[in-house]
Amino acid sequence: MKTRYTFGGDEHLFVECSEEMSLAPFFKVLSLTEAIKKGNIEGVTEICPANASFQLRFNPDIIEPNTLLNKVKKIEQESENNIQKEIKTRIIEIPVLYNDPWTHETLMRFRDRHQKPDGTDLEYASEINNYQSVEAFIEAHSSSPWFVSMVGFVAGLPFMYQMVEREQQIQVPKYLRPRTDTPKLTLGHGGCFACIYSVKGAGGYQMFGVTPLPIYDPKQDVRYLEDFMVFFRPGDIIKFRPIERNEYDQIVREIEVNTYKPNIKEVTFNLDEYNRDINSYNKNLVQKISE
């Protein structure tokens, strides 16, 4: 689609690069926001990238809205044949206790808001994605890597896009009505996106499990969050690893005494190489986290 520009109130310009999510519009957003940042447009106070769009906040007393619009359109035209296709990033292993007792208790309390009141979220997701069992669904969910395309909405919450062929993507609708409760660090899913709830609160995504790893710490007491309170960054690649309750408890104890170190490897991601052979590229990525 042609890039769509919309003003939001007096101080925001919303730029939509695509109506549907894929990695290509993410990289266009990445390139445009980097070019805008380097352009040092006077009056722009904030740049907020999202999955396939971004929003600029500006001071209308410094720059007139249509002047900003024209400057951004010019940057887009100049960047059209120079979209960034390669980034240096991280692949991060995230341990997950699927079908845990805490999200199970919560989802059973809110069955009247669910499409399938007589089952669980994992059973529902398995069924509508044509998996023969919950175990087969968990294998599909955890075996492929996921791309962090956005961090936000709630502080530290990552939106993750599954790195598989489109026809293989797991898709699940949100609850019919949102819950008023979601346990902290719940692994959720809505539409084609996975997320991890960084804090306890309301939510509507299907709940598959929990991770023991804090991903947002405003006090920065957690060892691996000492440099920055938010764990994830756009462009991170995530590999979920199913764990049992005993390992979950052990990781929690290690985090409490600040001895736990997440499994993170530095990698280079190239969009063109990925698109040429997704399965082989993913296999090499996943292998790096176990080296």
Side-chain angles (χ1 to χ4, degrees), residues 93-95 212-214 222-224 241 247 250-263:
E93 184 180 79
I94 300 295
L213 271 59
V222 177
R223 176 183 176 184
Y224 59 85
R241 180 172 66 86
E247 184 175 358
Q250 176 61 34
I251 293 173
V252 169
R253 286 192 292 269
E254 291 178 18
I255 289 171
E256 288 174 347
V257 296
N258 255 337
T259 60
Y260 184 81
K261 185 178 179 181
N263 187 6

Side-chain angles (χ1 to χ4, degrees), residues 30 35-36 45 48 54 69 78 82 114 142 145 177 190 193 197 202 211 216 229 244-245 253 259 265:
L30 183 66
I36 291 168
T45 59
C48 299
F54 63 94
L69 176 62
E78 292 171 347
N82 194 30
H114 198 273
S142 60
R177 290 184 293 129
F193 285 105
Y197 286 78
T211 178
Y216 171 63
M229 67 180 71
E244 299 298 330
R245 176 64 187 270
R253 286 192 292 269
T259 60
K265 298 292 173 60

Side-chain angles (χ1 to χ4, degrees), residues 36 38 67 69 104 107 160 167 176 197 207 226 229:
I36 291 168
K38 290 177 181 177
T67 300
L69 176 62
H104 181 81
L107 66 87
M160 295 170 282
E167 60 271 14
L176 297 174
Y197 286 78
M207 296 183 288
E226 289 176 345
M229 67 180 71

Side-chain angles (χ1 to χ4, degrees), residues 24-39:
F26 168 83
F27 274 83
K28 182 175 181 178
V29 167
L30 183 66
S31 295
L32 287 178
T33 52
E34 284 296 318
I36 291 168
K37 188 184 301 182
K38 290 177 181 177

Side-chain angles (χ1 to χ4, degrees), residues 23-207:
L23 292 183
F26 168 83
F27 274 83
K28 182 175 181 178
V29 167
L30 183 66
S31 295
L32 287 178
T33 52
E34 284 296 318
I36 291 168
K37 188 184 301 182
K38 290 177 181 177
N40 291 317
I41 301 173
E42 188 177 10
V44 173
T45 59
E46 195 171 0
I47 304 172
C48 299
N51 301 311
S53 62
F54 63 94
Q55 184 166 271
L56 303 179
R57 185 177 184 183
F58 62 95
N59 186 337
D61 293 329
I62 297 176
I63 186 168
E64 195 270 333
N66 284 319
T67 300
L68 173 63
L69 176 62
N70 291 332
K71 285 180 179 290
V72 175
K73 283 185 174 180
K74 183 179 180 182
I75 289 173
E76 183 195 5
Q77 291 169 358
E78 292 171 347
S79 305
E80 190 171 355
N81 296 318
N82 194 30
I83 301 298
Q84 184 175 351
K85 298 291 185 69
E86 184 173 283
I87 57 173
K88 292 190 180 299
T89 186
R90 311 178 295 176
I91 182 166
I92 306 171
E93 184 180 79
I94 300 295
V96 177
L97 178 61
Y98 287 89
N99 206 12
D100 66 283
W102 307 286
T103 60
H104 181 81
E105 185 277 331
T106 302
L107 66 87
M108 296 309 292
R109 275 194 283 125
F110 290 96
R111 291 331 279 169
D112 63 324
R113 307 182 184 209
H114 198 273
Q115 293 88 345
K116 190 173 182 180
D118 57 348
T120 67
D121 292 7
L122 275 169
E123 289 169 347
Y124 174 66
S126 303
E127 178 183 326
I128 66 171
N129 284 279
N130 298 314
Y131 288 96
Q132 296 301 309
S133 66
V134 166
E135 291 72 24
F137 176 82
I138 292 173
E139 168 63 23
H141 188 275
S142 60
S143 61
S144 64
W146 296 72
F147 197 92
V148 177
S149 57
M150 173 183 166
V151 179
F153 186 71
V154 174
L157 185 151
F159 287 85
M160 295 170 282
Y161 180 78
Q162 193 177 20
M163 297 168 63
V164 293
E165 298 283 358
R166 185 173 292 272
E167 60 271 14
Q168 296 176 320
Q169 283 182 349
I170 292 169
Q171 297 193 47
V172 190
K174 294 187 288 186
Y175 274 44
L176 297 174
R177 290 184 293 129
R179 300 176 303 274
T180 57
D181 185 23
T182 306
K184 180 180 178 180
L185 300 177
T186 290
L187 176 61
H189 201 101
C192 68
F193 285 105
C195 81
I196 299 174
Y197 286 78
S198 53
V199 296
K200 177 181 174 67
Y205 278 20
Q206 308 287 333
M207 296 183 288

